[in-house]
Amino acid sequence: MMPTGATRTQRVADLAAVLDEEIDLLAARRDQLARLTVAIPGGDERATERLLQQMERTQQAQAQTDNRLRAARNAMASALACDASQLRLSRLVDRLDGADRDRIERRRARIVALVEAVRREHIKAAMLLSECARINRELLESLFPASTPVTTYGAAGRESWRPHTGLVDTES
């Protein structure tokens, strides 16, 4: 069982605060992915670039939150005399009671829902990017039907592309 008094309340409060950060980050990721699926076909390169920069900052914030979550998990595991790698929110909720239990359970349910929403938005973005690549490939093949290489430009600079080679040119 958890220690009683201020120690337990403080550890639960610390964990709840980190879980709130996690909820905010998940909501931000969901919204960013949704905006990305609108920005890409819209062709607004500046908006897309700004969005990608925001996504990078969110990833950096996620790394910091992960460290705080790891510390909170370790503190809770120490108080419960169990292995931190085995401590899940569902198990923790089973060991808590009253307001502490409700506090963590609400956050756990919100995280589960947000993870599913992020997964759906990620799938939509991946499908959109795949379809954009297919359309671009077909467009290039219709414009340049001969098997001569065509110069394209990517993140790494100039690249050669040959019709009917797919996304990866194995000859390079």
Side-chain angles (χ1 to χ4, degrees):
M1 203 66 191
M2 287 286 298
T4 58
T7 303
R8 179 181 80 170
T9 303
Q10 185 58 47
R11 286 187 178 151
V12 170
D14 292 346
L15 178 62
V18 177
L19 292 176
D20 287 340
E21 289 178 34
E22 184 71 25
I23 288 168
D24 292 343
L25 286 169
L26 286 167
R29 284 176 176 235
R30 179 201 56 208
D31 296 344
Q32 289 167 345
L33 286 168
R35 290 191 337 252
L36 185 64
T37 59
V38 171
I40 289 173
D44 187 350
E45 290 183 30
R46 281 188 276 193
T48 303
E49 185 62 33
R50 281 192 308 269
L51 183 55
L52 291 173
Q53 289 171 355
Q54 288 175 0
M55 292 173 89
E56 186 175 330
R57 286 191 299 272
T58 301
Q59 180 60 36
Q60 292 167 354
Q62 182 69 59
Q64 294 169 353
T65 300
D66 287 346
N67 288 335
R68 284 193 290 280
L69 186 57
R70 190 175 307 108
R73 176 187 289 186
N74 288 339
M76 294 299 288
S78 174
L80 294 169
C82 69
D83 185 13
S85 66
Q86 300 298 316
L87 185 61
R88 302 284 181 262
L89 288 177
S90 58
R91 288 184 183 161
L92 177 60
V93 166
D94 290 340
R95 292 182 173 200
L96 295 173
D97 55 12
D100 289 341
R101 179 186 187 115
D102 293 340
R103 175 187 261 181
I104 299 301
E105 177 56 30
R106 280 193 316 272
R107 284 164 176 84
R108 187 189 76 77
R110 182 73 178 132
I111 287 171
V112 168
L114 281 168
V115 165
E116 181 58 28
V118 168
R119 188 186 69 76
R120 282 191 309 270
E121 290 298 331
H122 181 266
I123 288 170
K124 285 197 288 192
M127 288 174 63
L128 173 68
L129 290 172
S130 176
E131 187 64 11
C132 287
R134 185 190 65 78
I135 290 169
N136 284 338
R137 203 171 37 251
E138 287 183 13
L139 179 63
L140 284 171
E141 287 174 3
S142 70
L143 292 173
F144 304 101
S147 62
T148 58
V150 174
T151 300
T152 61
Y153 298 90
R158 296 177 75 170
E159 299 174 6
S160 287
W161 175 85
R162 291 187 179 96
H164 309 294
T165 59
L167 291 175
V168 179
D169 183 359
T170 58
E171 293 179 20
S172 298

